[in-house]
Amino acid sequence: MLTLLASDLRPTGIEIMGEATWGTHFCNFYETQQDMLDILIPFFKTGLEHHEYCVYITEADLAVEKAEESLKTGIPDIRRLIEEKKIEIITHKDWYLKKGCFDAAEVFESWDEKLQFAINTGFDGMRLNGNATWLERNIWDTFIEYETDLNSFIKDKKIIVMCTYPPIKCLA
């Protein structure tokens, strides 16, 4: 079990949130792509500045190249950081739908692999953003269960997670 100290507080890069401990999972709801980027860029920029391995799982209609280009506005050296394996951009298909369908156990295994890579490479921990635009109504309940399990899964791990949701895809 991870024992957290005051020194384990990590800046989120999101002014209204301030700092968070490892094992934090929160959600951001956005209307436009610019709304999403206004939170996402400082979130990743701060993680990179504080020696955290960053993983960006793109939304369904945001290709890896477009995601990289979008991050450039606040992280001008994003290409170099990708090449140096300090940040990784992955499509939602390669993260959530590896075998063509959502499998929470497989996704959790990917979390562990990425965190192990981060720690073995010398990073303090990992921060990740996953976008849920790809979700279809038929797996919504399964994904909500996964989101709940995610809280327990990261509780004692050096991970900070921000999930982003477009409200148009969500019901109260």
Side-chain angles (χ1 to χ4, degrees), residues 21 135 163:
T21 60
L135 275 173
C163 295

Side-chain angles (χ1 to χ4, degrees), residues 78-147:
I78 189 71
R79 168 78 348 234
R80 177 183 58 80
L81 295 167
I82 290 169
E83 289 169 1
E84 293 175 354
K85 299 194 183 317
K86 294 181 178 178
I87 185 169
E88 183 175 1
I89 302 172
I90 304 170
T91 68
H92 75 285
K93 288 180 183 177
D94 291 335
W95 185 263
Y96 294 115
L97 306 171
K98 284 182 183 176
K99 295 178 183 167
C101 62
F102 178 73
D103 179 346
E106 185 176 68
V107 175
F108 286 135
E109 187 176 305
S110 295
W111 284 90
D112 275 336
E113 289 170 6
K114 291 294 179 196
L115 180 60
Q116 201 57 48
F117 167 81
I119 300 301
N120 290 344
T121 309
F123 290 95
D124 292 350
M126 180 173 79
R127 82 173 45 200
L128 183 139
N129 172 262
N131 190 296
T133 303
W134 61 274
L135 275 173
E136 295 299 329
R137 197 48 58 207
N138 63 330
I139 65 164
W140 188 256
D141 290 340
T142 303
F143 197 79
I144 293 302
E145 186 177 317
Y146 157 79
E147 285 277 336

Side-chain angles (χ1 to χ4, degrees), residues 11-58:
T12 63
I14 302 167
E15 187 176 331
I16 196 164
M17 284 196 64
E19 298 176 320
T21 60
W22 291 121
T24 296
H25 171 214
F26 62 97
C27 296
N28 173 45
F29 294 88
Y30 67 94
E31 294 282 333
T32 67
Q33 186 170 339
Q34 189 57 52
D35 291 341
M36 180 187 70
L37 291 171
D38 287 347
I39 299 294
L40 196 63
I41 289 170
F43 177 72
F44 281 134
K45 185 175 185 202
T46 300
L48 292 163
E49 290 169 349
H50 289 87
H51 202 57
E52 297 169 7
Y53 183 66
C54 296
V55 179
Y56 176 14
I57 301 157
T58 65

